[in-house]
Amino acid sequence: MKYRKIPDETIRRLPMYLRAFSLLRTEATETISSRQLAQRLGLNSPQIRKDLSYFGAFGTRGVGYPVEATARRIRQILKLNKVQKAVLIGAGRLGTALVAYPGFSSFNLDIAAVLDNDPKKIGKKIGPIKIENTDRISTLKKRDIRLAILAVPAEAAQKTTENLVKAGIRGILNLSPCHLKPARPVKIIDIDLASQLGILPYYM
Amino acid sequence: MKYRKIPDETIRRLPMYLRAFSLLRTEATETISSRQLAQRLGLNSPQIRKDLSYFGAFGTRGVGYPVEATARRIRQILKLNKVQKAVLIGAGRLGTALVAYPGFSSFNLDIAAVLDNDPKKIGKKIGPIKIENTDRISTLKKRDIRLAILAVPAEAAQKTTENLVKAGIRGILNLSPCHLKPARPVKIIDIDLASQLGILPYYM
DNA sequence: CTTTGTTTGTGAATGTGAGCACAAATACCA
DNA sequence: TGGTATTTGTGCTCACATTCACAAACAAAG
């Protein structure tokens, strides 16, 4: 295929593919066709073939995609072949739930630090991680932490973002219900839980 | 404007608009222009004008949009003008965090029931709500609960979905990392936290 | 009442992604 | 070796979404 810009939507689906391939590996499946995979994921097969073909041809015609190799390739594309460290800002209920969430490790994502500005929480532990004061945000760079999960109240979100960007953070998963304006361009993914639930009644 | 199908993307943005208008009301602002609103939300102004215009013309040229009336209208469109009850399935850490999350009430969303299948949890309370056994899923219909938040482990997600659909649930916010296949067509919104975080390294 | 400055509402243009259909490649069997 | 059944990779078309550009509507001031 001639060079084309890779659609954001394709990137968005890659983790889904990766999870499916990882699961298949535990089922001792060696190859899978785009049709079978589509069935599992609720997509249609040309979608999957096109997505994967952006990164070169790694299926075999008449057979399908090799599970092991394809998983490895997707991990490489997403830069998930080495552990990526993330910091959690905000050790509230939602934040705490995320630290305990087992789903991150299968993507090689590691919540390596938790920060909060509540003196009562600082020093306490969530699982194996000790909660640090928010002013330690400046130490993230030298600790090789480039990702942040933002789970602070809306009022604090903008200010925290500015500090995160200063501290060399390159990507933010924003769980607060507001639009962040980083000083430098940084990849931000917004997850607004209340808004998402608020959409549902419209479709009933 | 002639009748056109309303884009899903427009619906997806309406809760954001509603939140912004609600906030403006607390700031005692009477009207706001699409440009100012766009500035706040990180969009551009034609986007906002077009989105709102799908539902009729409720701005005033030369002035902007009336805050109070527009908020009311959006609430009506999204069917959030009356309280919508939701059930939470799965009282794990994430589920518990959601029950306590204050952001739902501003959209008139009310988590009215919590179900779990762990005998140790049943009967205990999360805030004001008592955790019930999952088999009480069949009582949801007569309790006027039509929305569900699914926060169960991946293994249980599909089976639970089937039971939810049988119980008359019309919309599901799926927090489990798998694709649900409902027996009848039901609106499902998937939020896969690990996948979302997994996208970030690609863009660094 | 006219002029000037805003801001909406919307047709048209542009951009982006999804789905189809089919040639090319492979496996398997007789 | 030839024939049949699969399945990938991809050009093309269509559908959907965003952005532009401008006429129409309104406010305010002189």
Side-chain angles (χ1 to χ4, degrees), chain B residues 140-187:
Chain B
L140 295 175
K141 191 162 196 171
K142 73 166 85 98
R143 292 156 81 181
D144 202 33
I145 296 175
R146 292 284 128 74
L147 298 176
I149 302 173
L150 193 58
V152 301
E155 313 83 66
Q158 178 57 33
K159 186 66 187 161
T160 309
T161 302
E162 289 162 20
N163 292 334
L164 283 171
V165 172
K166 269 186 213 151
I169 288 292
R170 308 274 298 279
I172 299 176
L173 186 70
N174 174 33
L175 292 156
S176 75
C178 49
H179 171 68
L180 306 178
K181 295 174 189 174
R184 280 188 298 107
V186 158
K187 181 70 180 175

Side-chain angles (χ1 to χ4, degrees), chain B residues 17 20-21 24 29-50 52 58-67 70:
Chain B
Y17 298 157
F21 278 105
L24 284 164
T29 312
E30 302 247 323
T31 62
I32 189 168
S33 69
S34 59
R35 192 199 295 225
Q36 288 171 288
L37 189 59
Q39 171 69 17
R40 286 196 181 219
L41 297 177
L43 304 171
N44 41 6
S45 49
Q47 176 89 275
I48 292 175
R49 292 201 296 278
K50 178 146 284 196
L52 295 179
F58 39 96
T60 318
R61 300 183 184 209
V63 180
Y65 295 91
V67 170
T70 309

Side-chain angles (χ1 to χ4, degrees), chain A residues 1 34 49 57 59 61-62 65:
Chain A
M1 184 154 67
S34 59
R49 291 200 298 276
R61 303 185 183 205
Y65 295 91

